[in-house]
Amino acid sequence: MMKHEEATPEMAEAMAKRVDIDLAFTIIPKKNGDLILAEIKTDKKTNTQYCSTLAAFQTKFGLASEFIHRFVDRAIWAKRVTSAAAMRNEYNRATDLVFAAIVKITQQGVING
């Protein structure tokens, strides 16, 4: 896990363009067009926020698929999903959140598929 202050200059620049999703995840666009899906965490001792990389993607749709899966899994684990209807609603919410974030990133100039 890389703390923000330990980031390379390239990563620090990418972090400045990150798009947070639901206060738990973030998408970090890199110069080469790759996208990093990370989880936002807080250090318990220092109360400092940092991002833990979950995966890197070359396409927006690959990232969207992984995000939706992780988002719904998190909701199931937290017992916010207790029925098929609740699961469908959570999938719809995750889809709306990730594609809104992708639109923001696209507006910043990330152009990979």
Side-chain angles (χ1 to χ4, degrees):
M1 287 182 268
M2 182 180 294
K3 300 215 189 300
H4 190 30
E5 61 272 5
E6 298 170 0
T8 64
E10 178 188 357
M11 196 60 186
E13 182 181 331
M15 288 290 288
K17 294 180 179 180
R18 80 183 206 189
V19 176
D20 294 348
I21 306 173
D22 203 39
L23 303 173
F25 295 95
T26 190
I27 300 172
I28 305 165
K30 294 182 70 179
K31 275 185 181 178
N32 66 358
D34 288 354
L35 301 167
I36 297 171
L37 178 62
E39 190 173 14
I40 300 170
K41 296 188 174 194
T42 303
D43 187 296
K44 291 179 183 177
K45 293 179 183 176
T46 64
N47 215 23
T48 303
Q49 194 178 76
Y50 63 96
C51 297
S52 176
T53 299
L54 299 171
F57 298 89
Q58 293 181 340
T59 66
K60 296 172 191 171
F61 294 110
L63 179 139
S65 176
E66 181 68 18
F67 170 81
I68 292 165
H69 172 75
R70 287 180 181 271
F71 190 87
V72 173
D73 273 357
R74 178 182 275 229
I76 291 168
W77 180 81
K79 297 182 177 31
R80 290 193 320 261
V81 172
T82 57
S83 68
M87 181 180 276
R88 182 180 55 239
N89 291 339
E90 203 65 21
Y91 270 104
N92 289 339
R93 181 169 179 254
T95 302
D96 290 345
L97 289 170
V98 75
F99 283 106
I102 287 172
V103 166
K104 287 181 184 178
I105 286 172
T106 301
Q107 292 171 345
Q108 293 177 7
V110 176
I111 57 172
N112 282 354

